[in-house]
Amino acid sequence: MKHTAKEWFGATRYWSFPVSAMPVVAAVAFLVWKGFDINWLCAALALVGNVLFHAAGNLLSDWWDYRKGVDNEEAYAIPNLVFHYFEPEEYIRFSAILFAAGTATGLVLTFISGWELLIIGGIGAALAMSYSFFKFRALGDIFVFICFGILPVIGTSFVAAGTVDWSILALSLPLGIFTVAVLHDNNTVDMATDKASGIRTVPMLLGERASVKLFIAYMVIPYLAVTVFCITGLLPWLSLMCLLSVPAAFANARAACGWFEKGREAMLGLDQKTAQVHLVFSILLSAGLAIAAIFS
């Protein structure tokens, strides 16, 4: 079956790309604020490579979910494989192509930046390829936090500034938590079908009420983290521009509260809306860092 470029792009779950792209953007803004000379070519390649690995991982994860029966007609799943809009082998081939492209980008960056990048990139690639295995054992949230919170900012610091400024990890907590929230919403909605498939996720371990409360906490923690980091000097005060995104996060938290009356229907689509909050939050945070660099 032939597919259009738009259909292939849609299969990658492109709406989730802010969670892989924005940590790189925010990291570069942070490095500019810290006064580093930026290698803009390497920064751009880091952005491209991170998104390529993310897209490849999304396809591989969907393939595993379909193969294990987690994605089925009863679940709120991406319909491509369930209803055979795409065949499983098409997903695997596309994922392999994207992984190869991401690896090629990483090798170019390694040639420019140094062999140490192989350690960071190798960890990221290994986690991306093994994600589903650990996701089914209630460890997916930890892996997502590492892959989308910690590794991108460390890697970006290394390739763009030529060194790892460990204070850049201040970005990892707020950005990583928003990304975990995307996964957490998805897993909360699919608790019943995940249980029937014989896998375990964090919401299954916590239960419905606690899972909803945790999602609400995820909408608050990033703002508290940035505030604390501003007070302690790890981030400039202009980073608080991210607070302008609070209404969108509050809307997500309020919608999640509907679970107690409407059930899982209340949280449908909150994964995409959380990715949108992540995008706006990250843009505002990055803008605050960039403006702070101008006036420092």
Side-chain angles (χ1 to χ4, degrees):
M1 182 185 299
K2 291 185 177 180
H3 304 286
T4 65
K6 182 178 180 180
E7 290 171 335
W8 282 115
F9 188 50
T12 64
R13 285 189 271 146
Y14 61 85
W15 55 264
S16 66
F17 288 169
V19 304
S20 55
M22 293 313 299
V24 177
V25 174
V28 170
F30 178 91
L31 294 168
V32 170
W33 169 63
K34 294 283 281 189
F36 287 101
D37 291 327
I38 303 300
N39 185 321
W40 293 102
L41 172 61
C42 287
L45 288 174
L47 178 65
V48 171
N50 215 37
V51 172
L52 284 171
F53 275 119
H54 184 191
N58 280 348
L59 289 160
L60 186 60
S61 176
D62 287 347
W63 178 81
W64 269 110
D65 285 352
Y66 174 74
R67 183 181 176 188
K68 294 294 184 180
V70 176
D71 281 356
N72 53 63
E73 295 184 15
E74 312 284 312
Y76 290 100
I78 303 297
N80 288 341
L81 295 177
V82 175
F83 295 102
H84 297 282
Y85 301 145
F86 283 82
E87 294 304 319
E89 56 270 18
E90 292 179 307
Y91 261 48
I92 283 294
R93 284 196 297 267
F94 192 24
S95 178
I97 290 170
L98 293 174
F99 268 121
T103 300
T105 304
L107 290 175
V108 172
L109 279 170
T110 300
F111 178 78
I112 297 173
S113 306
W115 66 268
E116 294 89 346
L117 184 62
L118 290 175
I119 299 174
I120 301 171
I123 294 172
L127 291 178
M129 289 186 287
S130 62
Y131 164 69
S132 291
F133 175 84
F134 291 97
K135 169 190 170 183
F136 296 162
R137 291 158 177 82
L139 293 172
D141 299 53
I142 296 173
F143 275 62
V144 162
F145 184 82
I146 295 172
C147 285
F148 295 96
I150 296 176
L151 293 180
V153 299
I154 292 177
T156 301
S157 178
F158 181 74
V159 302
T163 186
V164 176
D165 183 332
W166 293 104
S167 64
I168 203 169
L169 287 174
L171 300 175
S172 295
L173 182 58
L175 299 180
I177 286 295
F178 269 131
T179 307
V180 171
V182 174
L183 173 65
H184 184 74
D185 172 73
N186 188 275
N187 287 342
T188 300
V189 169
D190 285 336
M191 274 193 288
T193 51
D194 284 349
K195 184 177 181 180
S197 300
I199 70 171
R200 289 186 297 170
T201 61
V202 170
M204 290 171 60
L205 298 179
L206 295 178
E208 295 181 5
R209 186 172 294 271
S211 293
V212 174
K213 290 180 178 178
L214 181 57
F215 177 82
I216 294 170
Y218 284 156
M219 294 299 101
V220 176
I221 292 172
Y223 300 100
L224 292 179
V226 171
T227 302
V228 170
F229 293 150
C230 287
I231 293 172
T232 58
L234 286 174
L235 295 175
W237 285 102
L238 280 169
S239 300
L240 292 177
M241 284 177 59
C242 68
L243 294 178
L244 294 173
S245 65
V246 164
F250 177 78
N252 278 4
R254 186 175 181 180
C257 288
W259 176 285
F260 303 113
E261 294 181 2
K262 305 175 185 177
R264 65 177 180 169
E265 298 283 342
M267 295 185 71
L268 284 178
L270 285 185
D271 51 355
Q272 296 188 34
K273 290 180 180 178
T274 300
Q276 293 168 3
V277 174
H278 185 297
L279 175 62
V280 176
F281 174 94
S282 301
I283 289 174
L284 291 169
L285 176 60
S286 301
L289 289 165
I291 294 171
I294 294 173
F295 291 102
S296 62

